[in-house]
Amino acid sequence: AALAAFATAPAHAARPKLVVLLVVDQMRADYMDSYGASWRGGLRRLVTEGVHFTNAAYPYLQTITCAGHATIGTGAYPYAHGMVQNAWFDRASGKSVTCTEDPSRGLISYGAPVPGGESAQRLLLPTLADEMRAQLWPTPRVVSLSLKARSAIMMAGHGGAAVAWTDSGALVTSRAFASAPVPALTAALKKLPIAWDKIPAWVPLLPAKAYAFTDDAAAEYPPQGWTRTFPHTMQGATKGETMANWTRSPHADAYFASLAFEMVKAVKLGQGAGTDFLAVSFSVLDLVGHAFGPRSHEVQDVLARLDVTLGRLFAGLDQTVGKNNYVVALTADHGVSPLPEEMAETGVSAGRVPLPRLKAELEAAVAKEVGGQNNVAAVVYTDVYLGRGVYGKLTAKPGALERVLAALRKVPGVQAAFGAEQLLAPKRSDGDLQYATALSYHPERSGDIVFVPAPYWITTDAGTTHGTANAYDQRVPVIIMGPGIKAGRQARRVSPADIAPSLGHMVGVTLSRADGQLLPEVQGAR
């Protein structure tokens, strides 16, 4: 009877031969519905053939690129994986360090020599790709590509066959991943040369009526050489300026998708006996969104062109790997705030947090309690680092820390502030803002004090940004498409941290530590 029951049980789908992880830097969840009516390519295919989690969000405060990619890669939150920001103040050295900075692992350039070094040495947990390399046989081949080092590295983790990004106008990797240029990547680059003097201007892809909102908002902050309206030239006064223009245009997204597919063919990803891993982070939306804002025609056009780009990539994977042999997960590392000036016009409280005033009032409040001067060593985004021993003096004096926090909360645009001891153990019972801040807090890397911007208040002087616990920063798309996954929309609350354990389940690996949960929609997909 038991054997008969086993024989009639539904068969699980075969293990995917290729895991494809796609991250669209700064893609808000609402873009899918607000701007998706004209999509006919890869984004549309994901929505129609995949399971689309429409209420996915990061639960933490520091919705920043390095933190987001590390969360996607590991399935854990910043308090555990340690990537609290893109950069933080290092107390030991007294200077800022980036999340992937590693002078001991020099860069290997596929063009002109580039100084510096990068690795995942500061990432405290293994990624899904790391666990796949450790647990599966044959050993998976890992390819991870992006314009940004922190994006490519946080998706790959501590190793990989080809992990590459751009630096100083050249594609590079580091000695953390290779001892010399990877031959397959060198060959792929030769097949995809860029004629820098012939790159066409960026013009709208769609008819004018297809774009929502009025273009040319007064608060848009276009890069040097561009105006607030199309067309945007690629040609700069120097090759360096032309390269910079290219990186913030849809041309760069299309190029990295083409490069990824060339690597699929060259390395034969998904075409062997085991399971391989391909990750691509598309950075253009972030660079454009910071300058033009989420309602701009530029943002909408980046997405329309990415839809075409992903359609081509999926068609290539269908032919090379086989439609039923790969699984795709798409998400974003964070969202973005509207331009505060646009929100203020609607009568909503909005603005830019006056950081010089914030630091001055903090200095005055701390000096009043413990004396001295220059007590604030650094303010990095929303983290406040005090001088050596200052925080201990504040906590030793009854009520002193709370009076300093109260002074901070009086600064325009600050809705909450917390001291370190309030953030050491994330507890939902502490309330949403404190819990979100604690999930982003690592005692060795975060500030002694962390403040939380109010809705529609940002910490930059121009354009817009992200990095808050507000819904427009936390909510991002999560879509998984592949064999055995039933298409449809799911409205329950999920997290991008759920992607790694869910993909891990599909390929038969276990993560060492994950805050994310296995999504039931993929349980039968293996």
Side-chain angles (χ1 to χ4, degrees):
L3 289 174
F6 180 81
T8 58
H12 290 290
R15 178 181 294 172
K17 288 185 171 294
L18 179 63
V19 171
V20 181
L21 176 61
L22 304 177
V23 180
V24 186
D25 201 321
Q26 202 186 107
M27 188 173 185
R28 285 174 26 162
D30 59 320
Y31 288 172
M32 302 297 296
D33 292 324
S34 297
Y35 302 146
S38 61
W39 299 343
R40 298 291 182 271
L43 289 173
R44 174 58 54 190
R45 179 172 167 181
L46 284 164
V47 169
T48 55
E49 297 184 16
V51 56
H52 179 194
F53 297 94
T54 59
N55 193 22
Y58 291 97
Y60 55 75
L61 169 68
Q62 299 289 10
T63 40
I64 306 291
T65 296
C66 197
H69 281 80
T71 294
I72 296 164
T74 64
Y77 295 133
Y79 80 100
H81 61 58
M83 300 293 98
V84 294
Q85 298 217 40
N86 294 338
W88 55 83
F89 182 75
D90 179 59
R91 293 179 175 87
S93 63
K95 64 179 183 179
S96 177
V97 297
T98 69
C99 65
T100 57
E101 178 183 333
D102 184 357
S104 70
R105 300 299 183 99
L107 297 183
I108 299 171
S109 177
Y110 291 85
V114 178
E118 310 276 355
S119 79
Q121 66 156 342
R122 291 190 170 98
L123 180 63
L124 303 179
L125 296 176
T127 62
L128 168 64
D130 287 330
E131 297 288 13
M132 288 175 62
R133 289 189 301 110
Q135 298 179 36
L136 297 182
W137 182 261
T139 302
R141 291 159 292 191
V142 171
V143 173
S144 183
L145 305 169
S146 180
L147 278 171
K148 299 179 180 180
R150 55 185 174 269
S151 303
I153 292 173
M154 290 301 124
M155 295 186 299
H158 298 84
V163 181
W165 56 94
T166 57
D167 192 311
S168 304
L171 194 75
V172 302
T173 187
S174 91
R175 296 189 181 279
F177 303 102
S179 58
V182 177
L185 192 50
T186 299
L189 292 170
K190 287 182 178 179
K191 288 184 178 181
L192 297 169
I194 301 174
W196 292 106
D197 59 338
K198 297 179 181 179
I199 305 174
W202 178 14
V203 297
L205 175 68
L206 306 173
K209 64 181 181 180
Y211 296 90
F213 305 113
T214 301
D215 199 16
D216 192 21
E220 292 181 359
Y221 191 70
Q224 185 176 358
W226 287 7
T227 65
R228 297 199 302 257
T229 58
F230 288 110
H232 298 306
T233 181
M234 294 297 105
Q235 301 307 313
T238 65
K239 184 179 178 181
E241 290 181 8
T242 300
M243 289 177 172
N245 290 339
W246 178 84
T247 62
R248 52 184 177 242
S249 78
H251 297 309
D253 279 346
Y255 185 85
F256 270 87
S258 296
L259 183 60
F261 185 58
E262 283 297 324
M263 291 300 292
V264 168
K265 294 186 292 183
V267 186
K268 297 189 180 300
L269 294 180
Q271 299 162 68
T275 299
D276 296 318
F277 180 91
L278 171 67
V280 186
S281 180
F282 296 99
S283 305
V284 171
L285 186 63
D286 182 71
L287 301 178
V288 170
H290 275 291
F292 293 96
R295 295 173 60 174
S296 66
H297 287 191
E298 284 81 2
V299 158
Q300 296 172 58
D301 199 72
V302 168
L303 290 166
R305 290 180 179 275
L306 183 63
D307 173 58
V308 175
T309 291
L310 292 182
R312 292 171 179 164
L313 176 61
F314 296 157
L317 293 176
D318 289 345
Q319 293 182 343
T320 306
V321 180
K323 184 175 180 179
N324 293 320
N325 290 329
Y326 69 94
V327 60
V328 179
L330 179 140
T331 189
D333 51 353
H334 53 74
V336 69
S337 169
L339 292 165
E341 291 79 3
E342 289 185 336
M343 296 307 300
E345 289 177 357
T346 70
V348 173
S349 174
R352 300 179 185 274
V353 178
L355 292 181
R357 173 181 167 183
L358 181 147
K359 186 174 181 180
E361 295 195 9
L362 263 176
E363 286 280 11
V366 174
K368 185 177 180 180
E369 299 294 340
V370 300
Q373 54 185 336
N374 298 323
N375 290 308
V376 179
V379 178
V380 182
Y381 234 67
T382 56
D383 280 41
V384 177
Y385 297 83
L386 300 177
R388 191 180 302 275
V390 174
Y391 188 77
K393 294 178 181 178
L394 286 175
T395 56
K397 182 179 178 180
L401 177 60
E402 180 50 44
R403 288 189 290 271
V404 169
L405 296 178
L408 186 55
R409 289 191 289 265
K410 292 179 182 178
V411 176
V414 175
Q415 68 169 324
F418 304 102
E421 78 284 350
Q422 297 174 278
L423 306 173
L424 294 176
K427 297 188 293 294
R428 292 184 183 275
S429 59
D430 288 332
D432 291 344
L433 287 180
Q434 186 171 336
Y435 178 65
T437 307
L439 287 177
S440 283
Y441 190 84
H442 190 280
E444 296 178 8
R445 298 175 178 179
S446 299
D448 300 292
I449 293 172
V450 182
F451 67 90
V452 181
Y456 306 116
W457 284 80
I458 61 176
T459 56
T460 58
D461 294 331
T464 189
T465 193
H466 45 85
T468 76
N470 298 313
Y472 48 72
D473 282 344
Q474 290 185 330
R475 293 193 61 239
V476 297
V478 168
I479 306 174
I480 303 178
M481 177 184 75
I485 296 176
K486 184 179 179 180
R489 291 167 68 96
Q490 295 290 340
R492 74 178 186 280
R493 188 67 174 257
V494 302
S495 165
D498 299 334
I499 292 173
S502 297
L503 294 178
H505 170 80
M506 293 184 70
V507 300
V509 304
T510 302
L511 301 184
S512 62
R513 175 178 177 180
D515 293 301
Q517 304 296 312
L518 172 61
L519 295 168
E521 289 77 7
V522 307
Q523 287 189 29
R526 175 178 178 267

